Amino acid sequence: MASPIPGAAGGRAAAPSSSGAVQPLLGARVRAGFPSPADDHLDVELDLHAHVVRRPASTYFVRAEGDSMLGDGIHDRDLLVVDRSLEPLPGRVVIIAVDGEPTVKRLVRRGDALVLEASNPRYAPIPLAGRECHVWGVVTHVLHALPGAAP
Amino acid sequence: MIALVDSNNFYVSCERVFDPRLEGRAVGVLSNNDGCVVARSAELKALGVVMGMPAHRIPPAQRRRMTLLSSNYALYGDMSRRVNRVLGEFSPDVEAYSIDESFVGLDGHEADDLEAWGHRLRGRVLRDTGIPTCVGLAPTRVLAKTANRVAKSRPELGGVCRLAAESPETRRVLEALPVHELWGIARRSAERLALQDIHTAWQLRQADPKQIRRTFSVVMERLVWELRGRPAIALEDVTEPRQRIMVSRSFGRLTGEQAELRAAIRQHGARAAEKLRRQGSRACAVLVFVRSDPHRLGERQYRNSQVVALPGPCDDTRALIAAAQRGLAAIFLDGVRYQKCGVMLLDLVDVEREQLSLLPAGDGPERRRGEALMATLDRLNGRMGRDTVRFGVPGKHAAWPLRCEHRSDRYTTRWGELMRVKAR
């Protein structure tokens, strides 16, 4: 649910403990006429979730299957961060339901027509004309695990 | 002004967001243990499947033309939270009334751009969550609820309808609305109203409030004022027996004590359970919500909700309270001063119907035997009187295996069940 506090805005709704609820409390008592300069920039722990998830209500995580988007750094089984509130402008990597199947591809304008392009030369572009297509969201980040990462 | 935002076929819409192939298909969601239909797509309604219908009563030939899913409360709870989050961007004044309905107060909005506001809100919820909604706008809750019905029944309105306190349109709508279909009117009250020659919502609006109060109740009098456009009803006053049960209350003063919240949730849970048993129903899930005071700008703002699925339809106070407390523990945040908390019971099924669901699922021979057994049972009871043959009531602690074979993935709450997108 909505939370107008800037600090809480990055939270996953379900888990208050990780909901970015860390709020910088003023670190010094108020002393009239003697402000503490340190309070202007109170450094707190970096919150990767809040950094990546700008709009919690519209942000979803999905799993990529296949290697057609390798050129964009999307490997098989990678985790994608998808924001539904972003406009599917040409050039963006989108999740789009093609004939009912959620697909990740880059949206590209070719003359007057929009096509879905892979970023792996082994895959042909998919023309949108004549297909049942619904844009689902725009991919904003890829999380790729390297050897040594916890499964 | 107040808006009632109601998600269309909420559970089915949630399922369709993550499985676009369900779009256009007849889709139903079943209560825990896959017993009765608790949510239907428009296509399923068109096939004649009614709310609460036991799944085994649907003929196999017809079943093949539809998709019946087990309930996925983790998903519905998360999507409900997201919808309310978006609503919170439009107004601090969001009151969830059920898992798929919220009132949004919009004081300060100019009267002439209200419909545009409604369309913007609707568009934003659809964009961010994929959930289609209808928006009813009016000066009071009762009229907003009525406006919402109109928005739903007339597709040409684009999902938004506004009813003014005084307008020929409002009059037409209220004249066409039978009083028993008015929000908050129980069947018995409607029968008594009929004796007073009050059959439509308009006739109730025109009745003398003082007399209505003497003959009926204070709440009924408030309904009259609400129909006239004067806000008179608190959310807690309205009951919709058989469909949903909500018990909530504001604290006398803000509190940050978890113990106080736990005590309140216990009390609300017990009240809700009593109401549930009085009407002979069982609930499939419990929703707990908490919030701070949105009007105290200096206070830290927080609101959250959690849905807890029950192992099977249940009316046991202890089990309901335990589920509610688990939900509270998941969303309680230290350092917030809370103004309100509440408990909702979701997807109420009749006790009788639910016992009929203790049968194997699937299409195997066991299932067919089960269906034959049910048919025999119905014939016996039809010929020899109700309850001639009936099922034993399952014990309170019976560990029935939770049947959820057809549950979709918990796309937004489990790392292992995320939506898969094709990159092939």
Side-chain angles (χ1 to χ4, degrees):
Chain A
M1 288 200 181
S3 172
I5 317 168
R12 285 281 294 153
S17 54
S18 66
S19 71
V22 193
Q23 269 211 301
L25 295 170
L26 285 183
R29 276 163 213 259
V30 176
R31 271 176 242 158
F34 193 62
S36 162
D39 283 344
D40 291 337
H41 267 286
L42 195 58
D43 287 344
V44 294
E45 203 178 341
L46 293 177
D47 185 343
L48 180 62
H49 186 88
H51 181 68
V52 169
V53 178
R54 293 300 163 102
R55 277 181 54 79
S58 61
T59 302
Y60 300 80
F61 302 134
V62 305
R63 184 80 63 191
E65 286 189 332
D67 60 0
S68 73
M69 296 301 285
L70 268 180
D72 289 287
I74 300 176
H75 300 68
D76 186 35
R77 306 297 299 151
D78 275 359
L79 183 78
L80 309 182
V81 180
V82 183
D83 189 344
R84 287 183 61 104
S85 72
L86 296 176
E87 224 184 310
L89 301 173
R92 290 183 167 173
V93 174
V94 298
I95 305 298
I96 181 167
V98 181
D99 296 327
E101 187 166 28
T103 304
V104 52
K105 286 285 178 302
R106 181 181 297 278
L107 197 61
V108 177
R109 188 180 293 284
R110 285 260 179 89
D112 280 346
L114 284 174
V115 288
L116 295 175
E117 273 191 3
S119 56
N120 179 338
R122 294 201 289 113
Y123 293 83
I126 305 172
L128 290 186
R131 274 178 219 267
E132 183 77 28
C133 286
H134 294 285
V135 174
W136 200 91
V138 172
V139 180
T140 58
H141 298 81
V142 185
L143 190 66
H144 176 65
L146 293 172
Chain B
M1 271 287 168
I2 193 156
L4 176 64
V5 183
D6 184 355
S7 304
N8 306 347
N9 313 322
F10 180 62
Y11 292 178
V12 173
S13 296
C14 290
E15 300 284 355
R16 282 177 169 165
V17 170
F18 296 92
D19 187 355
R21 286 168 309 175
L22 296 176
E23 210 64 59
R25 272 191 69 89
V27 181
V29 174
L30 304 175
S31 61
N32 339 37
N33 278 5
D34 292 350
C36 317
V37 176
V38 294
R40 304 164 298 158
S41 72
E43 297 81 0
L44 194 70
K45 290 175 194 170
L47 286 175
V49 174
V50 296
M51 206 62 165
M53 186 165 175
H56 68 82
R57 293 271 179 88
I58 303 172
Q62 223 186 14
R63 261 188 96 133
R64 279 191 283 276
R65 293 163 58 202
M66 54 184 76
T67 305
L68 295 180
L69 297 165
S70 311
S71 39
N72 185 348
Y73 288 110
L75 177 65
Y76 312 148
D78 183 64
M79 294 305 280
S80 169
R81 232 164 8 222
R82 287 171 185 266
V83 170
N84 281 310
R85 238 178 216 251
V86 178
L87 299 182
E89 292 168 13
F90 282 77
S91 162
D93 218 345
V94 178
E95 293 255 47
Y97 164 63
S98 73
I99 192 168
D100 56 356
E101 275 179 85
S102 292
F103 284 103
V104 182
L106 33 359
D107 288 333
H109 279 272
E110 294 306 312
D112 53 334
D113 72 353
L114 265 179
E115 269 111 334
W117 182 90
H119 283 288
R120 262 205 315 283
L121 178 144
R122 195 177 171 273
R124 189 84 70 81
V125 173
L126 185 63
R127 184 193 73 185
D128 287 1
T129 68
I131 304 290
T133 54
C134 280
V135 181
L137 290 154
T140 67
R141 293 185 201 280
V142 170
L143 285 176
K145 182 89 185 170
T146 309
N148 188 285
R149 270 177 66 118
V150 177
K152 225 174 239 169
S153 62
R154 289 197 215 148
E156 71 274 14
L157 294 176
V160 178
C161 171
R162 178 185 172 196
L163 287 179
E166 307 274 349
S167 80
E169 169 68 358
T170 303
R171 179 169 183 164
R172 263 196 306 279
V173 167
L174 294 182
E175 279 176 344
L177 181 65
V179 77
H180 67 265
E181 286 180 26
L182 188 65
W183 189 46
I185 301 251
R187 198 184 310 147
R188 237 173 325 139
S189 311
E191 284 162 9
R192 286 175 56 210
L193 283 166
L195 295 177
Q196 309 272 325
D197 219 22
I198 295 174
H199 306 280
T200 68
W202 180 258
Q203 286 169 331
L204 182 60
R205 181 194 194 269
Q206 299 306 95
D208 174 17
K210 279 199 198 107
Q211 203 206 319
I212 289 287
R213 181 184 194 145
R214 275 197 305 274
T215 322
F216 294 91
S217 63
V218 183
V219 173
M220 189 69 84
E221 182 201 0
R222 290 185 184 149
L223 278 178
V224 176
W225 289 119
E226 287 258 326
L227 285 169
R228 294 181 182 190
R230 190 208 285 182
I233 272 186
L235 213 47
E236 293 79 24
D237 289 341
V238 187
T239 52
E240 269 186 295
R242 313 228 67 86
Q243 292 176 41
R244 70 196 77 213
I245 289 174
M246 170 170 93
V247 180
S248 70
R249 190 143 306 139
S250 298
F251 292 108
R253 51 177 174 73
L254 303 187
T255 176
E257 295 293 322
Q258 192 167 10
E260 276 189 64
L261 268 92
R262 286 182 63 87
I265 289 294
R266 194 180 312 126
Q267 227 173 48
H268 298 339
R271 275 284 323 278
E274 279 167 31
K275 288 185 177 189
L276 185 71
R277 285 194 299 272
R278 205 177 310 138
Q279 67 175 56
S281 302
R282 292 179 186 197
C284 296
V286 178
L287 184 152
V288 185
F289 67 90
V290 296
R291 69 162 168 77
S292 55
D293 183 347
H295 297 290
R296 292 223 207 164
L297 297 177
E299 289 282 333
R300 179 162 175 202
Q301 294 297 317
Y302 177 68
R303 57 165 68 231
N304 209 341
S305 63
Q306 179 73 38
V307 175
V308 183
L310 297 161
C314 168
D315 65 358
D316 186 307
T317 301
R318 290 165 300 172
L320 293 170
I321 290 179
Q325 299 292 20
R326 276 179 57 212
L328 174 66
I331 55 175
F332 178 82
L333 196 56
D334 245 334
V336 174
R337 300 207 305 151
Y338 296 89
Q339 188 207 22
K340 193 171 185 178
C341 68
V343 172
M344 298 179 198
L345 302 183
L346 306 180
D347 304 318
L348 312 186
V349 296
D350 286 356
V351 170
E352 274 176 43
R353 276 179 170 167
E354 183 258 317
Q355 281 164 1
L356 298 179
S357 74
L358 297 170
L359 283 169
D363 284 303
E366 262 190 85
R367 178 84 211 178
R368 281 196 292 280
R369 273 205 302 280
E371 275 159 12
L373 173 63
M374 283 307 117
T376 310
L377 181 80
D378 290 345
R379 266 201 307 281
L380 278 173
N381 284 340
R383 202 175 300 154
M384 305 169 74
R386 207 171 125 192
D387 285 348
T388 304
V389 184
R390 59 188 175 130
F391 283 79
V393 179
K396 278 173 186 139
H397 300 289
W400 303 106
L402 178 54
R403 216 191 286 144
C404 48
E405 289 170 34
H406 310 287
R407 196 194 58 217
S408 52
D409 285 334
R410 290 162 288 188
Y411 303 103
T412 58
T413 53
R414 300 276 173 140
W415 290 114
E417 301 182 22
L418 301 179
M419 178 168 82
R420 287 181 290 271
V421 297
K422 194 174 91 164
R424 289 203 171 90

